[in-house]
Every structure is written in structure tokens, then in C-alpha cells.
Amino acid sequence: MNKHELHGGARYLGGKVEKAAGDLADKRDWQAEGVLHQVAGAAENLFGRAQSVAGDVADMTPGLIDEARDRIGDAADRAGAAARHGTGAASTAIRENRTTSVAIVAALGGVALGWLLFARRD
């Protein structure tokens, strides 16, 4: 809780009391002032809450960036390994000049690429 949340809450509560006193005394100016303080207090309290949330997000951001960097590195490593594996298998198939082997390697490469692009990651 920051100073704006505290001050806004206090001003809102004071406005409630002032409006109630205006209701009891049947004074329109007190009632109007009470409502004005309620609105101003609620706005300041909301501003303070937004500041608190923004601070919490800023505190969490470095950890999220590090986690994203790690995940991207892992995905790049897997993609590189799959590409090396597919290249090696394809060159072997071409050397042996087997049409069936090329088709199988291409299909496996497609499956690997599809898995890399569309697999769920938690």
C-alpha cells in the first residue's frame, strides 16, 4: 500500500462522513462537498493501486525475460539438432540414390519441423 492508496482511502471515508453529516443536518453544501471528496478519494486510491500493480509488474519482468531467453535458446538448440540430423540423413540417401529413402527422410524432416513449429510447450 502506497501513500496514494492510503490518502485516497482516508479522503473517501472523510467524504462519506461529511455527506452523512450533511444528510442529518439537511445541508446541501455539506452533502455536495462529501460526494466531491468521495469521488476524489476514490480516484486517488485507484491511482495508488495502479502504481502498486505497475511496480509489481516491473519487479516480475526480469525473471520473465530470463525465462523467455532460456526457452528460445532451448528451441534453437532443438531446431539445430533436427536440421543437422535431417541433413545427414538426406545426404546419405542421396549418396545411395534411393528414392524411397529420400521420401522417408523428407517425411521425417516434415514431421520434425511440424513438431518444432506446432508442439505445445508448457
Side-chain angles (χ1 to χ4, degrees), residues 3-96:
K3 70 177 184 175
H4 291 291
E5 286 178 281
L6 185 61
H7 186 261
R11 189 168 182 188
Y12 177 82
L13 186 60
K16 277 251 212 237
V17 170
E18 191 172 6
K19 184 184 178 304
D23 289 343
L24 286 174
D26 199 24
K27 300 278 188 172
R28 285 194 162 265
D29 56 335
W30 291 2
Q31 292 171 337
E33 283 290 318
V35 170
L36 178 70
H37 288 148
Q38 283 180 345
V39 170
E44 186 174 1
N45 182 274
L46 184 60
F47 174 72
R49 289 179 63 200
Q51 278 185 327
S52 293
V53 169
D56 292 345
V57 168
D59 290 344
M60 289 179 7
T61 302
L64 294 175
I65 291 171
D66 290 341
E67 183 180 344
R69 186 178 298 130
D70 291 342
R71 287 184 179 203
I72 289 170
D74 292 345
D77 292 343
R78 286 193 306 271
R84 284 189 297 278
H85 176 71
T87 302
S91 64
T92 301
I94 289 171
R95 276 195 303 264
E96 293 175 2

Side-chain angles (χ1 to χ4, degrees), residues 78 114-122:
R78 286 193 306 271
W115 180 82
L116 285 171
L117 293 175
F118 300 106
R120 281 188 151 178
R121 303 218 178 16
D122 293 327

